[in-house]
Structures are given as C-alpha cells and as structure tokens.
Amino acid sequence: MKILVINCGSSSLKYQLMDMTDESVLCSGVIERIGLKINEGDNSLLILTLSTRLSISLPKASIR
C-alpha cells in the first residue's frame, strides 16, 4: 500500500509518498514561497525534492 502525506501551510506545501510494505520513501519534496514576493519583482516558486532544486518564475498575473 502506498500513502501520500501532504502538509499545507500558508505559503508552502510539503509532500512525501511512502510504500508501507517496506516503509520506504518513494519521493518527497516541498514547494515554498507560494503567493509571496520575497524581493520586489521576485514572483517565483521554489521546488525541492530529494535530488532537485528548481525555481520557477511566474507571471505577475498568476500571483494573488
């Protein structure tokens, strides 16, 4: 059996997919800065996984 765990905060989403047959982690990660402007003009999401760090710029229209 596989279980997806999701933790949603005000500006982040953390997730972990586990295989409960051997209690192994199949994947996990975090998306940060959802809806935040860290620096003026910085409209981006930060996505972290076990092996990847990715920053995605978003158009201003998609930020609320």
Side-chain angles (χ1 to χ4, degrees):
M1 173 174 42
K2 293 179 177 58
I3 295 180
L4 176 63
V5 179
I6 298 175
N7 179 348
C8 297
S10 61
S11 65
S12 68
L13 182 139
K14 299 172 185 151
Y15 61 90
Q16 185 166 326
L17 180 62
M18 301 179 69
D19 186 343
M20 296 313 294
T21 55
D22 60 358
E23 298 185 11
S24 62
V25 176
L26 301 175
C27 68
S28 69
V30 61
I31 303 173
E32 296 179 332
R33 301 192 311 201
I34 299 170
L36 295 181
K37 288 176 127 177
I38 304 303
N39 298 315
E40 186 60 37
D42 182 13
N43 296 318
S44 64
L45 294 177
L46 180 60
I47 302 172
L48 305 172
T49 65
L50 293 174
S51 61
T52 305
R53 178 184 176 94
L54 177 64
S55 180
I56 299 175
S57 294
L58 301 172
K60 288 187 182 244
S62 66
I63 303 294
R64 294 180 188 241

